Amino acid sequence: MIDLNNLTIVSARAKLDAKEFSAVELAQAYLDEIKKKNGELNAYLEIYDDVLEQAKLADDRISKGESLPLLGVPLAIKDVILIKGRKVSAASKILENYVAPYDATVITKLKKQGAVFLGRTNTDEFAMGGSTENSAYGVTKNPHDTKRVAGGSSGGSVVAVAANLALGALGSDTGGSVREPASFCGIVGMKPTYGRVSRYGLIAMGSSLDCIGPVAKNAEDTQIIYDAICGQDVLDGTTINDQTYLKPILKKVIGVPWDLVNGKGVDIKVKENFKQSMENLEKLGFAVKDISLKNLDMALAIYYIIMPAEASTNLSRFDGVRYGMHKDGKNLLEDYLLTKGAGFGKEVRRRILLGTYVLSAGYYDAYYGKAVIARDLLKKEFARVFNEIDVIATPTAPFVAWKIGEKSDPLSVYLADIFTVTANIVGVPAISVPSGFTEVEGKKLPLGVQFMAPHGAEDALFEVGGKLNMV
Amino acid sequence: MDIKDVENLAALSRIELGEDEKREILSDMDSILGYVKQIEAVEVDDVKTDYGMVNVWREDKIEPCEFSQDLITGQFPSAQDNFLKVKKIL
């Protein structure tokens, strides 16, 4: 029996290379776990039928003496990333039977390493949400308390890793969709610098915000997946190279916007846990400094203008003409109306309408135009504050995972993103690492701390995040 | 915002909405717009936005791109002789 609970990507690599177990045996161990638990947790929407064949190919490479960090490592892939010849639905009815005609660049890179894809994981429809409650295929449950949400939108990928149904995973993060569920489920999730990881083959939501990000049990494993998927790509013009941003020298100073952390709406248990985490970092030799950014509290408002605006534009392509669901009406206009009406779920329809509103004549300047300027101001404030500090720390989410169905109005769910959206708006990398547990109604629920670093300084996140991770 | 505005947005977005959902969306929009309205308070006296744009054109060279034509054409909701078939526009 393979001890999946204590297995990491690093230890699996050593054991695979030492022939303690084969990639086929490892994949089978995960398939057995999935069979036992996925019915209840709903992390995967589909388990691929060729997992063992993929693992066999990895074993052939290992037996020839090849060793790559992810060779034979079983991964879960969020249902918004294209793998050629396999279904990808964005957890939406409108793409229910869509089959990807090409590989996303991140998939091409993982295939070269010989990673094994177990299946595609649940998400909020088109990655729109913070709980996976918006999936057209049912909610993903939190393994720490199955009455609670896993977080989202990458809830399926995160639960797959947290419940030992995969050794690592890919998610996507537009406003916290990798970090928030990682925090709710007690593992590590990371959003790279905007442009660091190619988005060729990622189903788009907000194009100036979207990033593909790794999910794993600890910071070291997260970095291994990140290293495997990052890099400039001719197929994605927004990707950056190593020279795009200067590498800062670490000063061992952490900045905390205490005003925001101590603000209303942040759970007292979250505040206490966060303070404890900062004290732990001080014991490790970091200085913790109070920072103040004038427009930081505007981040969520900026986000909920820019994101729906971009999403409404991106999602206009799903019209039943070339692929996906098609509802037949009397004429072309009726085809559109019926297809989009039936194919998109509630939250997606809501965001498309919201985006259409903030972009419409008469409101454009007041909402979208203003948000673009505010975004620029915030970017400049970040650049200034990063002269004095290495990373900015906040809690990842203002509260623990909520009960399934508890939050019925959309705004109350949006408020969960208060700490995470900023990194997407500014384009900086950010990571969520576990910071302990708090007991709620007899269950131990995980909490997380988020670190944000300057553009291109992912190394600083792994350095600081890794240290807190080990406390 | 009133129900007519919601209907107009739905028409612009080409989404058919039921009567109940129109009312629901109207109330959601009021609460969401009520929140994001705070953006008005941002001071923007003489800010010049720096979009950080750089040119990423590449040479116009033909290079093979790996995708499956069969998978693309096979997913057309309606097709004739391997072409995508759509309703008449005019």
Side-chain angles (χ1 to χ4, degrees), chain A residues 228-241:
Chain A
I229 59 172
C230 67
Q232 197 166 22
D233 180 12
V234 287
L235 298 170
D236 177 355
T238 61
T239 49
I240 58 171
N241 61 43

Side-chain angles (χ1 to χ4, degrees), chain A residues 83-223:
Chain A
I83 308 180
K84 189 176 176 177
R86 299 187 195 272
K87 273 189 191 176
V88 54
S89 76
S92 177
K93 289 288 176 198
I94 211 163
L95 287 177
E96 188 164 14
N97 295 307
Y98 179 67
V99 178
Y102 63 93
D103 277 331
T105 296
V106 291
I107 295 299
T108 306
K109 285 173 180 261
L110 292 176
K111 279 184 175 174
K112 273 194 192 129
Q113 285 227 4
V116 173
F117 304 127
L118 292 165
R120 61 184 166 100
T121 54
N122 201 13
T123 160
D124 288 288
E125 184 179 0
F126 284 101
M128 295 183 185
S131 65
T132 72
E133 288 172 296
N134 298 329
S135 167
Y137 306 98
V139 64
T140 297
K141 293 176 183 163
N142 193 315
H144 295 272
D145 178 358
T146 51
K147 287 192 181 63
R148 291 178 186 268
V149 299
S153 63
S154 309
S157 284
V158 166
V159 170
V161 176
N164 293 322
L165 310 182
L167 199 41
L170 291 187
S172 66
D173 190 311
T174 305
S177 279
V178 165
R179 291 161 283 154
E180 183 242 30
S183 164
F184 282 4
C185 296
I187 58 169
V188 177
M190 187 248 194
K191 169 224 163 312
T193 305
Y194 181 75
R196 179 68 92 186
V197 174
S198 168
R199 299 175 300 172
Y200 179 69
L202 169 71
I203 296 176
M205 168 156 63
S207 298
S208 75
L209 306 157
D210 293 343
C211 289
I212 292 175
V215 173
K217 284 180 182 171
N218 59 40
E220 200 179 11
D221 282 4
T222 307
Q223 187 166 14

Side-chain angles (χ1 to χ4, degrees), chain B residues 3 10 15 21 24-27 36 43 46-47 50 52 58 62 72-73 78 81:
Chain B
I3 211 85
I15 296 177
E21 194 176 1
E24 211 179 304
I25 282 190
L26 179 62
S27 123
V36 300
E43 293 163 28
D46 49 357
V47 184
D50 162 25
R58 58 190 152 86
I62 296 174
I72 292 172
T73 57
S78 179
D81 306 329

Side-chain angles (χ1 to χ4, degrees), chain B residues 4-89:
Chain B
K4 280 258 172 319
D5 295 319
V6 174
E7 284 169 353
N8 184 36
L9 289 175
L12 284 170
S13 319
R14 306 280 187 263
I15 296 177
E16 193 184 58
L17 294 180
E19 291 304 319
D20 286 350
E21 194 176 1
K22 283 180 202 166
R23 277 191 294 277
E24 211 179 304
I25 282 190
L26 179 62
S27 123
D28 292 342
M29 292 284 264
D30 279 342
S31 110
I32 298 165
L33 291 172
Y35 181 84
V36 300
K37 220 168 61 136
Q38 60 179 293
I39 196 94
E40 286 173 357
V42 176
E43 293 163 28
V44 292
D45 306 337
D46 49 357
V47 184
K48 285 205 175 65
T49 44
D50 162 25
Y51 293 96
M53 299 293 188
V54 285
N55 201 339
V56 289
W57 293 113
R58 58 190 152 86
E59 289 304 311
D60 191 13
K61 272 193 312 204
I62 296 174
E63 278 175 48
C65 205
E66 259 188 58
F67 65 92
S68 164
Q69 193 173 351
D70 291 343
L71 274 176
I72 292 172
T73 57
Q75 296 187 79
F76 290 164
S78 179
Q80 193 178 320
D81 306 329
N82 224 16
F83 285 102
L84 173 66
K85 195 176 166 188
V86 291
K87 290 206 170 84
K88 68 172 186 180
I89 291 161

Side-chain angles (χ1 to χ4, degrees), chain A residues 218-383:
Chain A
N218 59 40
E220 200 179 11
D221 282 4
T222 307
Q223 187 166 14
I224 288 172
I225 302 175
Y226 163 76
D227 284 340
I229 59 172
C230 67
Q232 197 166 22
D233 180 12
V234 287
L235 298 170
D236 177 355
T238 61
T239 49
I240 58 171
N241 61 43
D242 283 341
Q243 278 78 50
T244 309
Y245 300 108
L246 289 171
K247 281 254 178 303
I249 299 151
L250 289 188
K251 301 171 271 283
K252 295 205 90 173
V253 184
I254 295 168
V256 176
W258 285 110
D259 276 357
L260 193 70
V261 175
N262 287 323
K264 64 174 165 81
V266 183
D267 191 312
I268 181 79
K269 285 175 170 166
V270 169
K271 286 179 195 171
E272 280 167 8
N273 174 274
F274 179 75
K275 273 181 198 140
Q276 185 61 51
S277 300
M278 292 307 108
E279 282 165 24
N280 289 342
L281 285 167
E282 279 177 329
K283 280 178 205 148
L284 291 168
F286 290 93
V288 176
K289 195 179 157 187
D290 185 16
I291 55 164
S292 163
L293 293 123
K294 197 175 162 207
N295 287 301
L296 189 60
D297 57 352
M298 285 294 159
L300 200 65
I302 298 171
Y303 179 77
Y304 277 97
I305 292 169
I306 288 178
M307 176 273 297
E310 294 182 357
S312 69
T313 314
N314 273 325
L315 268 65
S316 65
R317 76 190 69 175
F318 303 105
D319 55 9
V321 173
R322 289 165 300 157
Y323 48 80
M325 180 191 277
H326 173 86
K327 295 277 178 198
D328 215 41
K330 287 198 289 289
N331 51 41
L332 190 62
L333 177 62
E334 219 177 270
D335 286 6
Y336 289 155
L337 290 169
L338 294 174
T339 303
K340 286 171 183 272
F344 288 137
K346 225 178 206 176
E347 177 65 15
V348 176
R349 294 200 289 261
R350 187 154 45 219
R351 292 200 194 185
I352 290 173
L353 294 193
L354 185 62
T356 306
Y357 178 79
V358 298
L359 289 175
S360 61
Y363 301 102
Y364 182 95
D365 288 339
Y367 289 104
Y368 186 75
K370 195 75 185 274
V372 168
I373 296 170
R375 178 185 202 171
D376 197 53
L377 286 172
L378 197 54
K379 271 185 192 173
K380 286 176 179 141
E381 286 169 29
F382 261 65

Side-chain angles (χ1 to χ4, degrees), chain A residues 14-73:
Chain A
K15 288 171 200 279
L16 284 165
D17 289 346
K19 312 279 192 307
E20 272 185 47
F21 50 69
S22 69
V24 168
E25 286 163 340
L26 182 60
Q28 187 61 56
Y30 279 104
L31 290 174
D32 292 344
E33 275 309 284
I34 290 167
K35 208 169 182 181
K36 265 189 264 170
K37 295 186 197 159
N38 195 55
E40 185 182 19
L41 296 175
N42 198 30
Y44 286 95
L45 294 178
E46 180 188 354
I47 304 300
Y48 299 135
D49 56 12
D50 65 342
V51 171
L52 295 178
E53 282 88 343
Q54 294 178 56
K56 179 75 183 53
L57 290 175
D59 277 334
D60 291 346
R61 290 171 68 177
I62 294 168
S63 69
K64 284 182 193 135
E66 227 185 306
S67 178
L68 291 161
L70 295 173
L71 181 56
V73 171

